[in-house]
Amino acid sequence: MKKPLILVTNDDGITAPGLRALVKFMSTIGEVVVVAPDSPQSGMGHAITIDNTLYSKKVKLSDEKDAPIEYSCSGTPADCVKLGLQEILDRRPDIVVSGINHGSNSSINVIYSGTMSAAIEAGIEGIPAIGFSLCDYSWNANFSGVGEIAKKIVSEALKNGMPKGTVLNVNIPKTDGAKPKGVKVCRQAKANWKEKFDKRSSPAGKEYYWLTGEFELLDKGEDTDVHALNNGFVSIVPTQFDLTAHHAIQNINNWNLNE
Amino acid sequence: MKKPLILVTNDDGITAPGLRALVKFMSTIGEVVVVAPDSPQSGMGHAITIDNTLYSKKVKLSDEKDAPIEYSCSGTPADCVKLGLQEILDRRPDIVVSGINHGSNSSINVIYSGTMSAAIEAGIEGIPAIGFSLCDYSWNANFSGVGEIAKKIVSEALKNGMPKGTVLNVNIPKTDGAKPKGVKVCRQAKANWKEKFDKRSSPAGKEYYWLTGEFELLDKGEDTDVHALNNGFVSIVPTQFDLTAHHAIQNINNWNLNE
């Protein structure tokens, strides 16, 4: 049987340990091609490069015999997927996986996530796609406990296909090498970031800000991704790119707009 | 009665004619404060600035007596909203309006849209928010036919409030100064972009790409935003930031993940 073709990307950049771990895991179940940003792209949301040129080059980051083909790209995660599908791969991949992100993309973080934007871009093209994130922001995070579950989720996705119009947002609790307790299919927890701007002065006296903030959970539900993660489980949120709030159409139709 | 406080932003930059038109329209119904990017940010999706410094300065772009307070910001549209709410405004705005974008944000374009990311950012903070886009990519687009309908939609939003967890994505057909036929509340049309990468060589011989593409409508429904716009109507899509595909949870629960 032909091995599945797996396109791997991320938003922390092609040298990030999280991507290297994902490449290693995916190489055991399919033929891997990597197209990933040449520099970190965290917080890029679903940005694409339309007013600037895009560069891409073949790179060699592993000396192993069956090392995957890898390309670095000057663009965003969404650009990497577009470029991979259109210019680099000679056939349609069976699945696109993004990550493993260094840090959580649960709850409202999905909106700001470059990791998930890559998965969503593939989903828009009708290709099964999964974003993986580990709830550990450290560059030296321990990904060793993640392999088994990541392989299982990807294998099930390849076997079952993806519900139409959805991709998966998978978050993994910080395990420091241990196996997570199990997997829960969840909804996105309601939350926001309580911003704090750290105002400073440059050496030349010009004022500037750093954006910081605190995560504020606004949801006590036990069916949310945050609840699963806080209890040691991997969360899977099926995530869609039809943003229509269908339930609100009737409400807006009662506004006085057409007289 | 106290005038409503209206925060205005966009993604084409603070000098864009679409923003100047929106400021003019909004000034007739409320007290306007502008916090907008100092340079164009199209295609930025929901990017935020976390690895870089943010600059902001007060600017004067109008000599009129009741000219609004205006700030330009070095960040993305989502940054502008965060900075406006947290640092610039001394009270919570009654509504945030973004645009008027030079070009359509209907259908799948909402995913890539900086205009809509500003509205969504406000929505996450629980503030009513509307993104406006005119289906005319020209810098010199004629916004004069848009004022009446933009004011009506904002007034109705102020009067009725917004359905929980939603913001409005308003697209206006190109009218060249005429009034649109009317307003339709719609769902987001299913579509994607058929990418084409235009491959070129720099003077130094280095290969690079321009991302281009063609919009491909995959939806014959008559209840979509694209259908409304193609028939001369303004489209309003209530848009949500809970991306959970609730209908898909049961399906994924049947995968073999926990044994």
Side-chain angles (χ1 to χ4, degrees):
Chain A
M1 210 182 89
K2 206 172 180 183
K3 278 177 139 185
L5 178 59
I6 304 176
L7 177 62
V8 178
T9 189
N10 77 341
D11 77 340
D12 290 316
I14 197 162
T15 62
L19 180 128
R20 306 321 306 170
L22 190 56
V23 166
K24 200 179 88 185
F25 304 147
M26 292 301 110
S27 295
T28 66
I29 55 177
E31 179 192 343
V32 171
V33 175
V34 178
V35 183
D38 57 15
S39 61
Q41 299 279 328
S42 289
M44 281 305 279
H46 209 100
I48 50 172
T49 303
I50 47 178
D51 283 336
N52 211 335
T53 52
L54 269 181
Y55 291 90
S56 169
K57 67 174 178 200
K58 204 167 177 173
V59 292
K60 192 171 157 52
L61 293 173
S62 162
D63 283 328
E64 289 180 34
K65 193 167 64 79
D66 293 323
I69 296 169
E70 304 202 42
Y71 289 81
S72 72
C73 169
S74 62
T76 65
D79 290 330
C80 288
V81 171
K82 286 178 185 285
L83 195 71
L85 298 180
Q86 192 63 35
E87 289 288 317
I88 293 173
L89 296 178
D90 54 10
R91 61 186 167 103
R92 203 169 153 89
D94 296 287
I95 195 163
V96 173
V97 295
S98 178
I100 301 169
N101 192 59
H102 292 242
S104 171
N105 279 314
S106 68
S107 184
I108 196 65
N109 298 305
V110 65
I111 292 275
Y112 307 98
S113 167
T115 305
M116 281 305 296
S117 80
I120 288 172
E121 186 61 41
I124 293 170
E125 299 277 340
I127 298 167
I130 306 176
F132 288 99
S133 306
L134 181 70
C135 296
D136 185 342
Y137 290 86
S138 157
W139 190 255
N140 298 312
N142 187 340
F143 291 94
S144 64
V146 174
E148 200 175 311
I149 192 65
K151 287 189 274 184
K152 193 161 214 169
I153 294 169
V154 171
S155 299
E156 284 292 306
L158 287 166
K159 193 175 90 189
N160 297 301
M162 204 66 80
K164 212 175 169 186
T166 67
V167 301
L168 301 187
N169 182 15
V170 176
N171 283 271
I172 301 155
K174 184 177 172 181
T175 69
D176 293 321
K179 262 180 65 177
K181 275 191 199 166
V183 175
K184 287 196 188 296
V185 186
C186 309
R187 63 176 176 85
Q188 171 187 327
K190 190 171 176 338
N192 68 14
W193 281 87
K194 251 192 128 46
E195 271 79 37
K196 274 178 61 181
F197 284 92
D198 182 353
K199 196 173 185 174
R200 303 187 181 183
S201 280
S202 75
K206 194 170 170 188
E207 277 183 348
Y208 66 94
Y209 297 95
W210 286 103
L211 171 56
T212 67
E214 265 175 35
F215 182 75
E216 188 177 35
L217 183 65
L218 305 167
D219 193 327
K220 291 185 178 163
E222 301 197 345
D223 55 347
T224 71
D225 48 4
V226 171
H227 188 271
L229 291 162
N230 286 346
N231 287 279
F233 288 85
V234 172
S235 67
I236 301 185
V237 177
T239 297
Q240 63 190 3
F241 37 87
D242 174 2
L243 306 190
T244 312
H246 291 276
H247 64 279
I249 288 179
Q250 198 187 348
N251 177 312
I252 312 287
N253 262 325
N254 289 331
W255 291 12
N256 186 15
L257 295 167
N258 270 316
E259 68 171 23
Chain B
M1 211 181 88
K2 207 172 179 184
K3 277 176 141 187
L5 178 59
I6 305 175
L7 177 61
V8 178
T9 189
N10 76 340
D11 77 341
D12 290 317
I14 197 162
T15 61
L19 180 128
R20 307 319 309 169
L22 189 56
V23 166
K24 200 180 89 186
F25 303 148
M26 292 302 108
S27 295
T28 65
I29 55 178
E31 179 192 343
V32 171
V33 175
V34 178
V35 184
D38 58 15
S39 60
Q41 299 280 328
S42 289
M44 281 306 279
H46 208 99
I48 50 173
T49 302
I50 47 179
D51 283 337
N52 213 335
T53 52
L54 269 180
Y55 292 90
S56 169
K57 66 174 181 203
K58 202 166 178 175
V59 292
K60 191 168 156 57
L61 292 173
S62 162
D63 284 328
E64 287 180 35
K65 193 167 63 82
D66 293 324
I69 295 170
E70 306 203 41
Y71 288 82
S72 72
C73 169
S74 62
T76 65
D79 290 330
C80 289
V81 172
K82 285 177 185 287
L83 195 73
L85 298 181
Q86 192 63 35
E87 289 287 319
I88 293 173
L89 296 179
D90 55 8
R91 61 185 167 105
R92 203 170 153 86
D94 296 286
I95 195 164
V96 173
V97 295
S98 178
I100 301 171
N101 191 59
H102 292 241
S104 171
N105 280 313
S106 68
S107 184
I108 196 65
N109 298 305
V110 66
I111 292 275
Y112 307 99
S113 166
T115 304
M116 281 306 297
S117 81
I120 288 172
E121 187 60 42
I124 292 170
E125 299 279 339
I127 298 167
I130 306 176
F132 287 99
S133 305
L134 182 69
C135 296
D136 184 342
Y137 291 86
S138 157
W139 191 254
N140 299 311
N142 187 339
F143 291 94
S144 63
V146 173
E148 198 175 314
I149 191 66
K151 288 190 274 185
K152 192 161 213 169
I153 294 169
V154 171
S155 299
E156 284 292 306
L158 287 166
K159 194 175 87 189
N160 297 300
M162 204 65 81
K164 212 176 169 184
T166 66
V167 300
L168 301 187
N169 182 14
V170 176
N171 283 271
I172 301 154
K174 183 178 172 181
T175 68
D176 295 320
K179 262 180 65 178
K181 274 190 200 169
V183 175
K184 286 196 189 297
V185 187
C186 309
R187 64 176 175 85
Q188 172 188 326
K190 189 171 176 335
N192 67 15
W193 281 89
K194 249 192 131 44
E195 271 80 34
K196 272 178 63 181
F197 284 92
D198 183 353
K199 196 173 185 175
R200 302 187 182 184
S201 281
S202 76
K206 195 171 168 188
E207 277 183 347
Y208 65 94
Y209 297 95
W210 287 104
L211 171 57
T212 67
E214 266 175 35
F215 183 74
E216 187 177 36
L217 184 64
L218 304 167
D219 194 327
K220 291 185 177 162
E222 301 197 345
D223 55 347
T224 70
D225 48 4
V226 171
H227 188 271
L229 291 162
N230 285 346
N231 286 280
F233 288 85
V234 172
S235 68
I236 301 184
V237 177
T239 297
Q240 62 190 5
F241 37 89
D242 174 2
L243 306 190
T244 311
H246 291 274
H247 64 279
I249 287 179
Q250 198 186 349
N251 177 313
I252 313 286
N253 262 325
N254 289 330
W255 291 13
N256 186 16
L257 294 168
N258 270 316
E259 67 171 26

